[in-house]
C-alpha cells in the first residue's frame, strides 16, 4: 500500500500526468528552456507489513495445469498471450519445463498450477546467473539462455515468454525493490539483506483466474512480496 508519493523535477518545467493504454500513470515533462541539469527526486512512503503471497485461491478450472481461459477472458488478456517467435535454444529449454500433464496428457497426473509456477520460477533463478547490466535494452530469451546470465529485466522477459508459450497470460513489470534488514534474524533459512536498500527492479506477473495477477520474481526465485513496488505493467518491456 502506497501511503504517499511526491515527484520533484529540476529545472523549472510543466508537468502533465496521463495514463497509457494499460492504465499506468506517466508524467509528461515539458522544459521551456535548454538545460544542462536534470534531477528527479521521488519521495515514497509505503506500508511494509509482511503478507503471505500465497494468500489467494484459484477458480476450479485453473487449479491444475494446463488449463484454458474462458473465451471472454481470453479476449481481454489477448495482448499478454502473444508469444515471441524464439529460436532453438528457447524451444529446447521449453521442452524441459513442460510438465508430463502436457507432454503425455493421457497417462500423466495433472499438475497443480501453483506447483508448476513455483518450480519454473525457482528453476530460472538457478539456471540464469544474475548480473547488473548497464547496457540499454533487454536481451532476447535465446540470448539469456545462451549466456546463462542476465539482469532482472532479462530474466523477467524470459519468464514472460516461457509462460506465454505454455498458454498463460503474462506481463512485464518495472518498479522498485525495497529490502529492509530484518528486526529478528531467522532461526533457519536465508538471513536476508544486511543493509536497507531500494533499487530499480523488474519481474513478471501471470494471470490466474480467481487470483488475478500474481507476481513472480525469477531473480530471487520467490513470489513478489511487500518489497515489490510496481510502477508499470505492460505486455512488452519497451513500453514499461
Amino acid at each position: 500500500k502506497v501511503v504517499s508519493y511526491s515527484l520533484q523535477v529540476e529545472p523549472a518545467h510543466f508537468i502533465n500526468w496521463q495514463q497509457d493504454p494499460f492504465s499506468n500513470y506517466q508524467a509528461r515533462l515539458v522544459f521551456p528552456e535548454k538545460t544542462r541539469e536534470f534531477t528527479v527526486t521521488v519521495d515514497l512512503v509505503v506500508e511494509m507489513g509482511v503478507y503471505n503471497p500465497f494468500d489467494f485461491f484459484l477458480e476450479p478450472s485453473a487449479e491444475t495445469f494446463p488449463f484454458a481461459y474462458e473465451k471472454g477472458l481470453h479476449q481481454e488478456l489477448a495482448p499478454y498471450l502473444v508469444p515471441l517467435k524464439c529460436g532453438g535454444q528457447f524451444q529446447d529449454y521449453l521442452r524441459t519445463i513442460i510438465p508430463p500433464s502436457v507432454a503425455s496428457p493421457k497417462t500423466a497426473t495433472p499438475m497443480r498450477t501453483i506447483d508448476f509456477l513455483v518450480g519454473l520460477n525457482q528453476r530460472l533463478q538457478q539456471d540464469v546467473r544474475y548480473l547488473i547490466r548497464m547496457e540499454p535494452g533487454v536481451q532476447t530469451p535465446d540470448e539469456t539462455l545462451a549466456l546463462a546470465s542476465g539482469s532482472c529485466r532479462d530474466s523477467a522477459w524470459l519468464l514472460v515468454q516461457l509462460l506465454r508459450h505454455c498458454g498463460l497470460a503474462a506481463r512485464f513489470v518495472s518498479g522498485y525493490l525495497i529490502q529492509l534488514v530484518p528486526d529478528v534474524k531467522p532461526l533457519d533459512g536465508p538471513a536476508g539483506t544486511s543493509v536497507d536498500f531500494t533499487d530499480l527492479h523488474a519481474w513478471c506477473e501471470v494471470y490466474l483466474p480467481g487470483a488475478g495477477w500474481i507476481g513472480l520474481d525469477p531473480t530471487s526465485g520467490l513470489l513478489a512480496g511487500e518489497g515489490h513496488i510496481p510502477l508499470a505493467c505492460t505486455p512488452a518491456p519497451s513500453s514499461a
Side-chain angles (χ1 to χ4, degrees):
K1 180 180 178 181
V2 177
V3 178
S4 65
Y5 170 91
S6 70
L7 174 69
Q8 296 178 325
V9 180
E10 295 178 350
H13 60 278
F14 300 102
I15 184 169
N16 175 46
W17 283 97
Q18 57 193 41
Q19 287 181 286
D20 71 4
F22 306 100
S23 295
N24 299 298
Y25 281 94
Q26 297 177 333
R28 182 185 183 191
L29 303 171
V30 178
F31 299 91
E33 304 292 340
K34 290 183 177 182
T35 179
R36 295 184 179 275
E37 176 189 10
F38 181 55
T39 305
V40 179
T41 304
V42 173
D43 283 311
L44 183 69
V45 178
V46 295
E47 287 187 6
M48 293 289 290
V50 176
Y51 71 89
N52 178 10
F54 291 95
D55 186 18
F56 59 83
F57 71 91
L58 302 179
E59 296 289 355
S61 61
E63 289 179 352
T64 57
F65 181 80
F67 65 85
Y69 298 108
E70 60 92 13
K71 185 177 179 180
L73 182 59
H74 190 278
Q75 291 177 339
E76 294 170 345
L77 293 171
Y80 307 102
L81 286 163
V82 179
L84 282 179
K85 185 177 181 181
C86 298
Q89 185 113 16
F90 179 89
Q91 297 298 334
D92 291 343
Y93 193 86
L94 181 63
R95 281 189 283 270
T96 69
I97 67 152
I98 295 178
S101 57
V102 178
S104 305
K106 293 183 178 179
T107 59
T109 301
M111 186 176 190
R112 292 179 68 235
T113 298
I114 192 62
D115 291 342
F116 168 68
L117 293 172
V118 167
L120 174 57
N121 195 40
Q122 291 178 342
R123 179 169 171 186
L124 281 191
Q125 190 273 331
Q126 296 167 1
D127 291 348
V128 179
R129 179 174 58 89
Y130 171 71
L131 50 82
I132 297 174
R133 196 169 64 81
M134 302 305 294
E135 298 85 0
V138 178
Q139 295 174 174
T140 66
D142 283 283
E143 287 174 330
T144 300
L145 289 171
L147 295 169
S149 66
S151 67
C152 55
R153 63 189 185 276
D154 302 319
S155 296
W157 186 230
L158 171 59
L159 181 54
V160 166
Q161 288 304 316
L162 288 170
L163 292 172
R164 289 184 187 177
H165 278 264
C166 289
L168 297 176
R171 65 186 184 181
F172 182 89
V173 187
S174 178
Y176 299 119
L177 178 63
I178 302 174
Q179 289 192 294
L180 305 178
V181 177
D183 296 328
V184 179
K185 291 185 178 181
L187 297 177
D188 55 9
T193 181
S194 58
V195 293
D196 295 345
F197 82 90
T198 304
D199 207 351
L200 291 171
H201 195 49
W203 59 98
C204 164
E205 287 183 348
V206 61
Y207 191 88
L208 303 178
W213 291 106
I214 299 299
L216 301 170
D217 187 344
T219 300
S220 64
L222 303 173
L223 269 68
E226 63 279 355
H228 292 76
I229 312 298
L231 289 173
C233 304
T234 57
S238 58
S239 50

